[in-house]
Amino acid sequence: MIRGIWAGDCRNLSIQALFPSMYNAERQKGSITRGMLFAPKQKGTPLQINSTLLQQARKERWAIWSLREGLETLSHALREKLVENGVEILTDSRVERLEFDTAEQVVRA
């Protein structure tokens, strides 16, 4: 089972874009299973995330993650925090181009 959240039309999303290691495994060994079983082990430091919530999830072996009041609470909290910090959020506005000013880290639409 695969779960997650991706942006875009699900009919246009590809396994190559979403799961490059699975795509490469299938291309190199003829099947995803063989490719994953016999792939050379990748060296490097795995991503280390350590939070109280993650520790609880591991301890209780959570299988499904959600937000108590639904996923929209994430976008609402993000909007609230941005507005508190002086960010103007425009809705119902057409974006024709974006300009990035990395010196000031400002995005103009």
Side-chain angles (χ1 to χ4, degrees):
M1 175 190 261
I2 297 172
R3 56 185 163 228
I5 300 172
W6 292 275
D9 185 336
C10 64
R11 294 168 293 206
N12 295 326
L13 295 174
S14 71
I15 192 166
Q16 183 177 8
L18 298 176
F19 306 103
S21 60
M22 289 174 64
Y23 174 81
N24 291 330
E26 192 276 333
R27 300 290 284 177
Q28 292 170 358
K29 300 291 183 180
S31 84
I32 293 172
T33 304
R34 276 195 308 268
M36 298 302 245
L37 285 174
F38 301 110
K41 302 299 177 212
Q42 294 182 353
K43 295 184 179 184
T45 306
L47 180 61
Q48 297 292 321
I49 301 173
N50 196 13
S51 70
T52 306
L53 183 63
L54 182 57
Q55 289 173 4
Q56 180 182 356
R58 285 181 177 155
K59 181 180 176 184
E60 297 174 8
R61 303 188 76 159
W62 294 358
I64 297 175
W65 299 65
S66 66
L67 297 173
R68 193 170 282 131
E69 299 295 321
L71 189 58
E72 72 179 337
T73 56
L74 181 61
S75 58
H76 288 263
L78 179 59
R79 182 184 205 288
E80 183 179 316
K81 196 67 166 172
L82 290 169
V83 170
E84 283 175 11
N85 286 289
V87 175
E88 180 184 7
I89 298 177
L90 303 175
T91 59
D92 298 320
S93 301
R94 182 178 176 164
V95 176
E96 295 179 0
R97 84 171 188 267
L98 295 174
E99 295 178 24
F100 297 91
D101 183 352
T102 56
E104 295 178 37
Q105 298 180 345
V106 173
V107 178
R108 292 184 187 94

mmCIF file with all atom_site columns, all heavy atoms in Angstrom, residues 1 3 53 57 60-67:
data_model
loop_
_atom_site.group_PDB
_atom_site.id
_atom_site.type_symbol
_atom_site.label_atom_id
_atom_site.label_alt_id
_atom_site.label_comp_id
_atom_site.label_asym_id
_atom_site.label_entity_id
_atom_site.label_seq_id
_atom_site.pdbx_PDB_ins_code
_atom_site.Cartn_x
_atom_site.Cartn_y
_atom_site.Cartn_z
_atom_site.occupancy
_atom_site.B_iso_or_equiv
_atom_site.pdbx_formal_charge
_atom_site.auth_seq_id
_atom_site.auth_comp_id
_atom_site.auth_asym_id
_atom_site.auth_atom_id
_atom_site.pdbx_PDB_model_num
ATOM 1   N N   . MET A 1 1  ? 0.840  -1.175 0.000  1.00 0.00 ? 1  MET A N   1
ATOM 2   C CA  . MET A 1 1  ? 0.000  0.000  0.000  1.00 0.00 ? 1  MET A CA  1
ATOM 3   C C   . MET A 1 1  ? 0.887  1.241  0.000  1.00 0.00 ? 1  MET A C   1
ATOM 4   O O   . MET A 1 1  ? 1.880  1.312  0.698  1.00 0.00 ? 1  MET A O   1
ATOM 5   C CB  . MET A 1 1  ? -0.904 -0.017 1.232  1.00 0.00 ? 1  MET A CB  1
ATOM 6   C CG  . MET A 1 1  ? -1.720 1.246  1.350  1.00 0.00 ? 1  MET A CG  1
ATOM 7   S SD  . MET A 1 1  ? -2.567 1.391  2.923  1.00 0.00 ? 1  MET A SD  1
ATOM 8   C CE  . MET A 1 1  ? -4.166 0.833  2.431  1.00 0.00 ? 1  MET A CE  1
ATOM 9   N N   . ARG A 1 3  ? 0.742  5.434  0.362  1.00 0.00 ? 3  ARG A N   1
ATOM 10  C CA  . ARG A 1 3  ? -0.107 6.558  0.734  1.00 0.00 ? 3  ARG A CA  1
ATOM 11  C C   . ARG A 1 3  ? 0.754  7.806  0.802  1.00 0.00 ? 3  ARG A C   1
ATOM 12  O O   . ARG A 1 3  ? 1.958  7.749  1.009  1.00 0.00 ? 3  ARG A O   1
ATOM 13  C CB  . ARG A 1 3  ? -0.824 6.298  2.045  1.00 0.00 ? 3  ARG A CB  1
ATOM 14  C CG  . ARG A 1 3  ? 0.114  5.968  3.162  1.00 0.00 ? 3  ARG A CG  1
ATOM 15  C CD  . ARG A 1 3  ? -0.632 5.599  4.415  1.00 0.00 ? 3  ARG A CD  1
ATOM 16  N NE  . ARG A 1 3  ? 0.299  4.927  5.290  1.00 0.00 ? 3  ARG A NE  1
ATOM 17  C CZ  . ARG A 1 3  ? 0.074  3.817  5.912  1.00 0.00 ? 3  ARG A CZ  1
ATOM 18  N NH1 . ARG A 1 3  ? -1.088 3.235  5.799  1.00 0.00 ? 3  ARG A NH1 1
ATOM 19  N NH2 . ARG A 1 3  ? 0.977  3.281  6.678  1.00 0.00 ? 3  ARG A NH2 1
ATOM 20  N N   . LEU A 1 53 ? 6.497  13.322 19.057 1.00 0.00 ? 53 LEU A N   1
ATOM 21  C CA  . LEU A 1 53 ? 5.412  12.707 18.296 1.00 0.00 ? 53 LEU A CA  1
ATOM 22  C C   . LEU A 1 53 ? 5.919  11.493 17.514 1.00 0.00 ? 53 LEU A C   1
ATOM 23  O O   . LEU A 1 53 ? 5.275  10.446 17.496 1.00 0.00 ? 53 LEU A O   1
ATOM 24  C CB  . LEU A 1 53 ? 4.785  13.730 17.343 1.00 0.00 ? 53 LEU A CB  1
ATOM 25  C CG  . LEU A 1 53 ? 3.598  13.247 16.532 1.00 0.00 ? 53 LEU A CG  1
ATOM 26  C CD1 . LEU A 1 53 ? 2.438  12.862 17.451 1.00 0.00 ? 53 LEU A CD1 1
ATOM 27  C CD2 . LEU A 1 53 ? 3.162  14.327 15.557 1.00 0.00 ? 53 LEU A CD2 1
ATOM 28  N N   . ALA A 1 57 ? 4.784  7.625  17.893 1.00 0.00 ? 57 ALA A N   1
ATOM 29  C CA  . ALA A 1 57 ? 4.295  6.875  16.730 1.00 0.00 ? 57 ALA A CA  1
ATOM 30  C C   . ALA A 1 57 ? 5.046  5.562  16.574 1.00 0.00 ? 57 ALA A C   1
ATOM 31  O O   . ALA A 1 57 ? 4.445  4.520  16.293 1.00 0.00 ? 57 ALA A O   1
ATOM 32  C CB  . ALA A 1 57 ? 4.434  7.723  15.476 1.00 0.00 ? 57 ALA A CB  1
ATOM 33  N N   . GLU A 1 60 ? 4.006  3.166  19.522 1.00 0.00 ? 60 GLU A N   1
ATOM 34  C CA  . GLU A 1 60 ? 2.651  2.636  19.377 1.00 0.00 ? 60 GLU A CA  1
ATOM 35  C C   . GLU A 1 60 ? 2.410  2.002  18.009 1.00 0.00 ? 60 GLU A C   1
ATOM 36  O O   . GLU A 1 60 ? 1.320  1.524  17.729 1.00 0.00 ? 60 GLU A O   1
ATOM 37  C CB  . GLU A 1 60 ? 1.638  3.754  19.635 1.00 0.00 ? 60 GLU A CB  1
ATOM 38  C CG  . GLU A 1 60 ? 1.706  4.295  21.046 1.00 0.00 ? 60 GLU A CG  1
ATOM 39  C CD  . GLU A 1 60 ? 0.807  5.501  21.262 1.00 0.00 ? 60 GLU A CD  1
ATOM 40  O OE1 . GLU A 1 60 ? 0.005  5.843  20.360 1.00 0.00 ? 60 GLU A OE1 1
ATOM 41  O OE2 . GLU A 1 60 ? 0.891  6.112  22.343 1.00 0.00 ? 60 GLU A OE2 1
ATOM 42  N N   . ARG A 1 61 ? 3.432  2.047  17.164 1.00 0.00 ? 61 ARG A N   1
ATOM 43  C CA  . ARG A 1 61 ? 3.382  1.453  15.817 1.00 0.00 ? 61 ARG A CA  1
ATOM 44  C C   . ARG A 1 61 ? 2.206  1.984  15.000 1.00 0.00 ? 61 ARG A C   1
ATOM 45  O O   . ARG A 1 61 ? 1.412  1.212  14.446 1.00 0.00 ? 61 ARG A O   1
ATOM 46  C CB  . ARG A 1 61 ? 3.354  -0.054 15.921 1.00 0.00 ? 61 ARG A CB  1
ATOM 47  C CG  . ARG A 1 61 ? 4.543  -0.605 16.702 1.00 0.00 ? 61 ARG A CG  1
ATOM 48  C CD  . ARG A 1 61 ? 4.594  -2.054 16.615 1.00 0.00 ? 61 ARG A CD  1
ATOM 49  N NE  . ARG A 1 61 ? 5.103  -2.337 15.263 1.00 0.00 ? 61 ARG A NE  1
ATOM 50  C CZ  . ARG A 1 61 ? 5.662  -3.446 14.883 1.00 0.00 ? 61 ARG A CZ  1
ATOM 51  N NH1 . ARG A 1 61 ? 5.792  -4.416 15.736 1.00 0.00 ? 61 ARG A NH1 1
ATOM 52  N NH2 . ARG A 1 61 ? 6.091  -3.612 13.669 1.00 0.00 ? 61 ARG A NH2 1
ATOM 53  N N   . TRP A 1 62 ? 2.108  3.307  14.922 1.00 0.00 ? 62 TRP A N   1
ATOM 54  C CA  . TRP A 1 62 ? 1.040  3.924  14.150 1.00 0.00 ? 62 TRP A CA  1
ATOM 55  C C   . TRP A 1 62 ? 1.168  3.525  12.687 1.00 0.00 ? 62 TRP A C   1
ATOM 56  O O   . TRP A 1 62 ? 2.251  3.509  12.123 1.00 0.00 ? 62 TRP A O   1
ATOM 57  C CB  . TRP A 1 62 ? 1.102  5.443  14.253 1.00 0.00 ? 62 TRP A CB  1
ATOM 58  C CG  . TRP A 1 62 ? 0.835  6.002  15.618 1.00 0.00 ? 62 TRP A CG  1
ATOM 59  C CD1 . TRP A 1 62 ? 0.515  5.313  16.756 1.00 0.00 ? 62 TRP A CD1 1
ATOM 60  C CD2 . TRP A 1 62 ? 0.883  7.378  15.990 1.00 0.00 ? 62 TRP A CD2 1
ATOM 61  N NE1 . TRP A 1 62 ? 0.353  6.175  17.802 1.00 0.00 ? 62 TRP A NE1 1
ATOM 62  C CE2 . TRP A 1 62 ? 0.580  7.446  17.370 1.00 0.00 ? 62 TRP A CE2 1
ATOM 63  C CE3 . TRP A 1 62 ? 1.154  8.541  15.299 1.00 0.00 ? 62 TRP A CE3 1
ATOM 64  C CZ2 . TRP A 1 62 ? 0.536  8.648  18.045 1.00 0.00 ? 62 TRP A CZ2 1
ATOM 65  C CZ3 . TRP A 1 62 ? 1.111  9.737  15.978 1.00 0.00 ? 62 TRP A CZ3 1
ATOM 66  C CH2 . TRP A 1 62 ? 0.800  9.793  17.337 1.00 0.00 ? 62 TRP A CH2 1
ATOM 67  N N   . ALA A 1 63 ? 0.039  3.283  12.056 1.00 0.00 ? 63 ALA A N   1
ATOM 68  C CA  . ALA A 1 63 ? 0.036  2.944  10.638 1.00 0.00 ? 63 ALA A CA  1
ATOM 69  C C   . ALA A 1 63 ? -0.539 4.079  9.800  1.00 0.00 ? 63 ALA A C   1
ATOM 70  O O   . ALA A 1 63 ? -0.213 4.218  8.638  1.00 0.00 ? 63 ALA A O   1
ATOM 71  C CB  . ALA A 1 63 ? -0.773 1.675  10.403 1.00 0.00 ? 63 ALA A CB  1
ATOM 72  N N   . ILE A 1 64 ? -1.404 4.865  10.389 1.00 0.00 ? 64 ILE A N   1
ATOM 73  C CA  . ILE A 1 64 ? -2.046 5.954  9.648  1.00 0.00 ? 64 ILE A CA  1
ATOM 74  C C   . ILE A 1 64 ? -1.885 7.241  10.448 1.00 0.00 ? 64 ILE A C   1
ATOM 75  O O   . ILE A 1 64 ? -2.045 7.248  11.659 1.00 0.00 ? 64 ILE A O   1
ATOM 76  C CB  . ILE A 1 64 ? -3.543 5.665  9.424  1.00 0.00 ? 64 ILE A CB  1
ATOM 77  C CG1 . ILE A 1 64 ? -3.700 4.407  8.562  1.00 0.00 ? 64 ILE A CG1 1
ATOM 78  C CG2 . ILE A 1 64 ? -4.238 6.854  8.780  1.00 0.00 ? 64 ILE A CG2 1
ATOM 79  C CD1 . ILE A 1 64 ? -5.121 3.961  8.387  1.00 0.00 ? 64 ILE A CD1 1
ATOM 80  N N   . TRP A 1 65 ? -1.555 8.300  9.749  1.00 0.00 ? 65 TRP A N   1
ATOM 81  C CA  . TRP A 1 65 ? -1.364 9.607  10.379 1.00 0.00 ? 65 TRP A CA  1
ATOM 82  C C   . TRP A 1 65 ? -2.465 10.538 9.912  1.00 0.00 ? 65 TRP A C   1
ATOM 83  O O   . TRP A 1 65 ? -2.855 10.530 8.747  1.00 0.00 ? 65 TRP A O   1
ATOM 84  C CB  . TRP A 1 65 ? -0.020 10.198 9.951  1.00 0.00 ? 65 TRP A CB  1
ATOM 85  C CG  . TRP A 1 65 ? 1.155  9.382  10.332 1.00 0.00 ? 65 TRP A CG  1
ATOM 86  C CD1 . TRP A 1 65 ? 1.483  8.134  9.881  1.00 0.00 ? 65 TRP A CD1 1
ATOM 87  C CD2 . TRP A 1 65 ? 2.175  9.747  11.244 1.00 0.00 ? 65 TRP A CD2 1
ATOM 88  N NE1 . TRP A 1 65 ? 2.639  7.703  10.452 1.00 0.00 ? 65 TRP A NE1 1
ATOM 89  C CE2 . TRP A 1 65 ? 3.093  8.681  11.295 1.00 0.00 ? 65 TRP A CE2 1
ATOM 90  C CE3 . TRP A 1 65 ? 2.414  10.858 12.021 1.00 0.00 ? 65 TRP A CE3 1
ATOM 91  C CZ2 . TRP A 1 65 ? 4.223  8.713  12.092 1.00 0.00 ? 65 TRP A CZ2 1
ATOM 92  C CZ3 . TRP A 1 65 ? 3.537  10.884 12.800 1.00 0.00 ? 65 TRP A CZ3 1
ATOM 93  C CH2 . TRP A 1 65 ? 4.427  9.818  12.841 1.00 0.00 ? 65 TRP A CH2 1
ATOM 94  N N   . SER A 1 66 ? -2.954 11.354 10.820 1.00 0.00 ? 66 SER A N   1
ATOM 95  C CA  . SER A 1 66 ? -3.939 12.365 10.443 1.00 0.00 ? 66 SER A CA  1
ATOM 96  C C   . SER A 1 66 ? -3.867 13.499 11.452 1.00 0.00 ? 66 SER A C   1
ATOM 97  O O   . SER A 1 66 ? -3.175 13.403 12.460 1.00 0.00 ? 66 SER A O   1
ATOM 98  C CB  . SER A 1 66 ? -5.344 11.766 10.401 1.00 0.00 ? 66 SER A CB  1
ATOM 99  O OG  . SER A 1 66 ? -5.750 11.385 11.692 1.00 0.00 ? 66 SER A OG  1
ATOM 100 N N   . LEU A 1 67 ? -4.599 14.537 11.178 1.00 0.00 ? 67 LEU A N   1
ATOM 101 C CA  . LEU A 1 67 ? -4.718 15.653 12.100 1.00 0.00 ? 67 LEU A CA  1
ATOM 102 C C   . LEU A 1 67 ? -6.105 15.582 12.732 1.00 0.00 ? 67 LEU A C   1
ATOM 103 O O   . LEU A 1 67 ? -7.095 15.291 12.049 1.00 0.00 ? 67 LEU A O   1
ATOM 104 C CB  . LEU A 1 67 ? -4.510 16.981 11.375 1.00 0.00 ? 67 LEU A CB  1
ATOM 105 C CG  . LEU A 1 67 ? -3.119 17.157 10.770 1.00 0.00 ? 67 LEU A CG  1
ATOM 106 C CD1 . LEU A 1 67 ? -3.065 18.418 9.925  1.00 0.00 ? 67 LEU A CD1 1
ATOM 107 C CD2 . LEU A 1 67 ? -2.053 17.210 11.846 1.00 0.00 ? 67 LEU A CD2 1
#
